[in-house]
Amino acid sequence: EPEVTQTPSHQVTQMGQEVILRCVPISNHLYFYWYRQILGQKVEFLVSFYNNEISEKSEIFDDQFSVERPDGSNFTLKIRSTKLEDSAMYFCASSDRGVDEQFFGPGTRLTVL
Amino acid sequence: AQTVTQSQPEMSVQEAETVTLSCTYDTSENNYYLFWYKQPPSRQMILVIRQEAYKQQNATENRFSVNFQKAAKSFSLKISDSQLGDTAMYFCAFMKHGSNYQLIWGAGTKLIIKP
């Protein structure tokens, strides 16, 4: 059964460094998302992406964040200059139609020291 | 802004029992979708059940069913004949129609099924 994959599973970085979190969505899906979950808090929406552009972003998704679909299969989230408060689990998701089930990856745990 | 509340941080029941997880939400929208997702330990989130707000009939998927009360803004999940494999975090989520499909999440309920 097709599934969403994410790499790495755990990323440790120093404050101020750039990180790229990678996701491979399900191949025929058209809608892509990033969410994050800070430990002990709710899952929060970051950004949705459709037709090679951002369709919506939350207040969290400031200029330090960017997304890209560089090659038609990968979907990446870049954080330009990480802060301590960026430490969280980051989930990628994809869906065939926007209102349908979103399929989630296993997450990347980002730790910023 | 929409909010989703899950008031039960943790629940535990014996195998084969029925358990109900509660979820309430706040919205002024009339057209939206509600979801229950399950996250087993160390595994990814998977959809359990989906409800469209314009449908009065409660959604069911095998042992999983919902009690959708639109006026009360309540969306509870009932698991019948619970199994050990149902042990997981359960998240209730809301999606506004035409919202570019972002999910708004509750805090989750940790469900433990005891043998």
Side-chain angles (χ1 to χ4, degrees):
Chain A
E1 188 170 328
E3 58 181 21
V4 177
T5 59
Q6 290 185 242
T7 53
S9 57
H10 191 189
Q11 173 96 44
V12 181
T13 190
Q14 295 290 325
M15 189 170 58
Q17 294 295 304
E18 175 183 287
V19 295
I20 297 176
L21 309 184
R22 301 180 195 281
C23 169
V24 178
I26 293 172
S27 62
N28 62 339
H29 283 183
L30 302 176
Y31 297 82
F32 313 107
Y33 315 85
W34 283 100
Y35 294 85
R36 80 172 186 189
Q37 186 178 29
I38 295 171
L39 189 64
Q41 298 186 22
K42 290 184 178 183
V43 177
E44 300 171 290
F45 168 79
L46 292 178
V47 65
S48 57
F49 192 88
Y50 171 72
N51 200 25
N52 283 319
E53 59 183 23
I54 291 173
S55 44
E56 189 163 5
K57 58 185 181 180
S58 71
E59 290 175 356
I60 303 166
F61 195 89
D62 61 21
D63 292 344
Q64 293 301 310
F65 290 87
S66 62
V67 289
E68 200 176 38
R69 191 155 157 80
D71 56 12
S73 61
N74 291 283
F75 180 51
T76 61
L77 174 70
K78 183 195 291 187
I79 309 175
R80 260 180 275 282
S81 178
T82 50
K83 306 184 188 76
L84 295 176
E85 55 264 37
D86 293 328
S87 293
M89 184 74 103
Y90 288 80
F91 296 102
C92 172
S94 69
S95 65
D96 183 11
R97 294 187 315 144
V99 296
D100 284 344
E101 173 183 1
Q102 292 181 19
F103 290 79
F104 283 80
T108 293
R109 180 166 297 285
L110 177 65
T111 302
V112 182
L113 303 176
Chain B
Q2 289 77 30
T3 58
V4 178
T5 302
Q6 293 179 250
S7 57
Q8 304 150 314
E10 184 170 324
M11 296 185 71
S12 66
V13 296
Q14 294 293 136
E15 193 176 6
E17 289 184 348
T18 294
V19 60
T20 299
L21 309 183
S22 64
C23 172
T24 57
Y25 58 94
D26 188 24
T27 185
S28 58
E29 301 293 325
N30 192 49
N31 199 3
Y32 50 88
Y33 307 87
L34 295 162
F35 304 81
W36 278 99
Y37 276 87
K38 166 186 176 181
Q39 187 181 33
S42 302
R43 295 187 60 188
Q44 52 227 77
M45 275 191 276
I46 54 175
L47 181 69
V48 175
I49 204 162
R50 174 178 176 270
Q51 175 82 40
E52 296 163 21
Y54 65 85
K55 287 188 176 177
Q56 293 188 345
Q57 187 171 7
N58 289 324
T60 63
E61 285 288 339
N62 301 314
R63 297 183 294 108
F64 298 87
S65 61
V66 297
N67 183 3
F68 173 49
Q69 302 286 331
K70 191 171 184 180
K73 297 178 183 171
S74 170
F75 183 61
S76 60
L77 175 70
K78 185 170 89 169
I79 306 173
S80 303
D81 185 27
S82 57
Q83 300 174 359
L84 297 179
D86 296 332
T87 293
M89 282 293 291
Y90 286 80
F91 294 95
C92 178
F94 171 99
M95 178 194 289
K96 185 174 74 171
H97 183 73
S99 66
N100 288 308
Y101 314 117
Q102 64 166 290
L103 288 168
I104 297 167
W105 299 82
T109 295
K110 184 176 181 181
L111 177 64
I112 299 168
I113 309 299
K114 297 181 286 188

